[in-house]
């Protein structure tokens, strides 16, 4: 395996009870890359992220992170290694202020401190004394991402970060993700907004019914109208 590979997922299978959701998903993320995982609803995208971090234990396959096999490890141990998942539900503490939400995530040795996340997310600095429940959906998403950064991620995974947000907020979050990527943090992004994905990604994977059916660079994906139509039912204008 190449020395620049941060995450390698090989033939991953996972189940919810008797429902076999993932049926052989494989993907690779290299240092500094932003990689998307695409697919229709129910394709297994969120389950892939949850299986990687141990929330849904894989029943078959391998997850190798920074050269170490972490398959089947408990999720808190995986998180301690720096594999951070920002889930779709965000997990904001509504009774705590923005700054309190952030302060509980700060790691002393992390290169990311409050000043760093306030620089990327100026809205959070403006609202640092507001309660988490007082924030808009977009602001809560920014808070969830900022909190993950304070945990010193070696890999950041985001599940539907711009879903349901106003276009102006989507643009703001895209610019923030570009800044995060520019610092060298590799990112795995699950997202339905293909325009956002094509603005950000180096490479794309597509899942269909728990199987990996497509892998390609961003340029190849944008040009492959047949793949977008077949697997996603949409087309993207670059």
């Amino acid at each position: 395996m190449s020395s620049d590979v941060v995450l390698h997922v090989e033939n991953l299978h996972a189940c919810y009870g008797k429902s076999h959701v993932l049926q052989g998903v494989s993907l690779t993320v290299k240092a500094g890359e932003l990689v998307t995982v695409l697919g229709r609803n129910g394709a297994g995208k969120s389950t892939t992220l949850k299986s990687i971090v141990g929330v849904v234990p894989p029943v078959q396959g391998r997850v190798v992170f920074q050269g170490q096999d972490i398959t089947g490890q408990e999720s808190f141990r995986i998180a301690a290694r720096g594999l951070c998942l920002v889930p779709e539900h965000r997990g904001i503490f509504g009774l705590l202020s923005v700054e309190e939400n952030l302060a509980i995530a700060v790691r002393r040795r992390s290169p990311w401190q409050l000043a760093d996340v306030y620089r990327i997310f100026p809205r959070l600095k403006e609202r640092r004394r507001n309660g988490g429940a007082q924030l808009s959906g977009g602001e809560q998403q920014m808070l969830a991402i900022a909190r993950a950064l304070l945990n010193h991620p070696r890999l950041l995974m985001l599940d539907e970060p711009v879903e349901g947000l106003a276009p102006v907020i989507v643009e703001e979050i895209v610019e923030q993700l570009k800044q995060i990527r520019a610092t060298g943090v590799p990112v795995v992004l699950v997202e339905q907004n293909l325009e956002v994905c094509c603005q950000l990604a180096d490479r794309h994977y597509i899942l269909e019914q728990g199987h990996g059916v497509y892998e390609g660079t961003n340029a190849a994906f944008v040009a492959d109208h047949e793949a977008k139509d077949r697997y996603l039912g949409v087309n993207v204008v670059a």
Side-chain angles (χ1 to χ4, degrees), residues 88-94 96 98 101 121 123-124 126-128 130-145 161-170 172-173 176:
E88 193 174 1
H89 59 76
R90 299 166 186 155
I92 298 303
F93 295 105
L96 300 183
V98 166
N101 267 279
F121 301 97
R123 278 175 180 261
L124 297 183
E126 293 169 7
R127 291 158 174 73
R128 62 188 180 276
N130 290 34
Q134 296 175 302
L135 302 180
S136 69
E139 290 163 352
Q140 288 190 1
Q141 186 65 64
M142 293 175 195
L143 179 54
I145 297 170
V162 302
E163 182 184 23
L165 302 182
V168 65
I169 300 298
V170 171
E172 195 170 336
I173 290 177
Q176 290 156 350

Side-chain angles (χ1 to χ4, degrees), residues 171-182:
E171 290 178 12
E172 195 170 336
I173 290 177
V174 166
E175 290 306 311
Q176 290 156 350
L177 292 178
K178 287 179 180 177
Q179 291 182 60
I180 292 167
R181 181 187 165 194

Side-chain angles (χ1 to χ4, degrees), residues 85-108:
L85 170 62
V86 179
E88 193 174 1
H89 59 76
R90 299 166 186 155
I92 298 303
F93 295 105
L95 295 178
L96 300 183
S97 70
V98 166
E99 194 142 294
E100 288 168 338
N101 267 279
L102 293 172
I104 59 176
V106 173
R107 288 194 181 188
R108 190 176 304 169

